Amino acid sequence: MAAPRLRPGMGRLIEMPAALGRLSRAYSKSHAFREVLQLPKMELTKLVFPLQELQRHLHPDARSDLHLRVFDPSLEDVARAEGFFTATPRNRIEYLSSAVRLDHAPDLPRPEVCFIGRSNVGKSSLIKALFSLAPEVEVRVSKTPGHTKKMNFFKVGKYFTLVDMPGYGYRAPEDFVDMVETYLKERKNLLRTFLLVDSVAGIQKADNIAIEMCEEFALPYVMVLTKIDKSSTGHLLKQVLEIQKFVATKTQGCFPQLFPVSAVTYSGIHLLRCFIATITGNLKTN
């Protein structure tokens, strides 16, 4: 693929303003999004709509290359979605159980979404960021790749269940294939699979195997690009355009819009929450 046409001076690392760092530490508070809405427009866009921020750095003739309008909620929609992820006495968000076999998994009627990705892609860190409005929920994050060895189930109120799957590739559990294939093929209430890809490394060989699995099982899935705080803007934009082309030409079940996120700066986390609330049928966007 030809290199994207970028505005000059795009080789430096993304530098999130200090104000965003302060906000990321305050996200355990339910009123955090009200603070986000007070940010200057450019900072707000970086935090909530990172793809739109990337579009700003494309040459005008190439801006249509980014798929921005497939899921395009309003700020009001994003704010409402925060409520589903905020723990209250009436909206309990909690770890339920772990399982190594599907018949050991909790049998719940509510919709389910699962997160899967290569070892060390930042999956547990991302889930911890999604649950930052429920600080009592313990999501274990380790610096050692392959830390997650079981399927971990989290109840999000009465709305849906979120499943943290073991990482594939390096240090994957010995029974990974049987565990994950069985879950993906047979879990009746699984609505969407979130496949995480490292934004620095791009799609790797192990990721292609996971993509082929989703395609073979005819699963609707979404690609989430993690660790965008570690990518330069130019590199991230190149990865986004290349992966979008891959999705458009090589996949059938993948959602056409990518979700770039950072568990460090919280960029893209609000939008991902809104997408989950929407696809599980709990939020009607305007």
Side-chain angles (χ1 to χ4, degrees), residues 202-269:
I203 295 177
Q204 302 291 294
K205 184 176 181 179
D207 297 318
N208 275 312
I209 295 173
I211 291 167
E212 289 170 4
M213 187 187 301
C214 291
E215 292 288 330
E216 179 183 349
F217 300 157
L219 297 174
Y221 63 106
V222 184
M223 283 198 200
V224 179
L225 305 188
T226 62
K227 304 180 182 179
I228 64 172
D229 53 287
K230 295 186 177 181
S231 283
S232 70
T233 306
H235 179 77
L236 179 60
L237 186 51
K238 182 175 182 291
Q239 290 282 20
V240 166
L241 292 173
E242 289 182 348
I243 294 172
Q244 278 195 168
K245 183 177 181 181
F246 174 90
V247 169
T249 59
K250 304 291 186 181
T251 72
Q252 296 292 324
C254 188
F255 193 71
Q257 182 172 319
L258 306 178
F259 287 82
V261 299
S262 167
V264 175
T265 64
Y266 281 73
S267 180
I269 296 296

Side-chain angles (χ1 to χ4, degrees), residues 11-277:
R12 60 187 180 278
L13 290 175
I14 297 175
E15 296 179 357
M16 300 299 291
L20 297 191
R22 290 194 297 272
L23 275 172
S24 69
R25 293 191 294 272
Y27 281 173
S28 61
K29 301 176 183 178
S30 61
H31 64 271
F33 198 71
R34 280 181 249 153
E35 297 179 22
V36 172
L37 292 174
Q38 303 305 311
L39 290 171
K41 183 177 180 181
M42 188 176 297
E43 293 178 14
L44 187 149
T45 301
K46 283 182 181 180
L47 186 64
V48 182
F49 303 110
L51 274 182
Q52 291 184 21
E53 165 63 15
L54 286 178
Q55 183 191 46
R56 189 171 65 85
H57 299 294
L58 268 177
H59 189 280
D61 293 344
R63 288 186 177 178
S64 61
D65 292 346
L66 282 181
H67 298 167
L68 295 173
R69 304 304 174 194
V70 185
F71 180 67
D72 186 26
S74 66
L75 284 171
E76 180 183 1
D77 294 329
V78 177
R80 287 192 293 129
E82 299 286 281
F84 297 101
F85 288 85
T86 301
T88 67
R90 298 185 64 180
N91 186 47
R92 294 185 62 184
I93 300 174
E94 58 191 342
Y95 163 79
L96 283 176
S97 65
S98 299
V100 294
R101 290 169 40 186
L102 184 59
D103 56 359
H104 292 168
D107 185 15
L108 301 170
R110 63 176 64 90
E112 200 158 278
V113 297
C114 76
F115 283 67
I116 187 170
R118 189 164 51 87
S119 296
N120 205 35
V121 76
K123 178 166 48 62
S124 296
S125 295
L126 172 58
I127 293 173
K128 188 177 181 69
L130 286 171
F131 286 155
S132 64
L133 299 173
E136 298 302 317
V137 177
E138 183 179 359
V139 181
R140 297 183 63 189
V141 177
S142 173
K143 294 182 179 179
T144 304
H147 175 76
T148 304
K149 299 296 185 184
K150 301 177 180 180
M151 299 180 288
N152 297 315
F153 293 79
F154 297 88
K155 173 187 173 184
V156 183
K158 61 183 179 181
Y159 303 109
F160 61 91
T161 306
L162 187 149
V163 187
D164 181 9
M165 305 292 285
Y168 51 77
Y170 177 65
R171 298 192 65 181
E174 291 183 3
D175 52 355
F176 174 85
V177 173
D178 290 340
M179 183 194 315
V180 174
E181 279 198 5
T182 302
Y183 172 84
L184 294 177
K185 287 173 66 175
E186 299 182 11
R187 192 66 165 174
K188 301 301 183 183
N189 54 336
L190 176 61
L191 289 188
R192 197 72 54 112
T193 298
F194 290 82
L195 199 160
L196 277 54
V197 174
D198 190 314
S199 68
V200 179
I203 295 177
Q204 302 291 294
K205 184 176 181 179
D207 297 318
N208 275 312
I209 295 173
I211 291 167
E212 289 170 4
M213 187 187 301
C214 291
E215 292 288 330
E216 179 183 349
F217 300 157
L219 297 174
Y221 63 106
V222 184
M223 283 198 200
V224 179
L225 305 188
T226 62
K227 304 180 182 179
I228 64 172
D229 53 287
K230 295 186 177 181
S231 283
S232 70
T233 306
H235 179 77
L236 179 60
L237 186 51
K238 182 175 182 291
Q239 290 282 20
V240 166
L241 292 173
E242 289 182 348
I243 294 172
Q244 278 195 168
K245 183 177 181 181
F246 174 90
V247 169
T249 59
K250 304 291 186 181
T251 72
Q252 296 292 324
C254 188
F255 193 71
Q257 182 172 319
L258 306 178
F259 287 82
V261 299
S262 167
V264 175
T265 64
Y266 281 73
S267 180
I269 296 296
H270 298 288
L271 187 66
L272 188 57
R273 285 179 184 147
C274 187
F275 184 72
I276 294 170

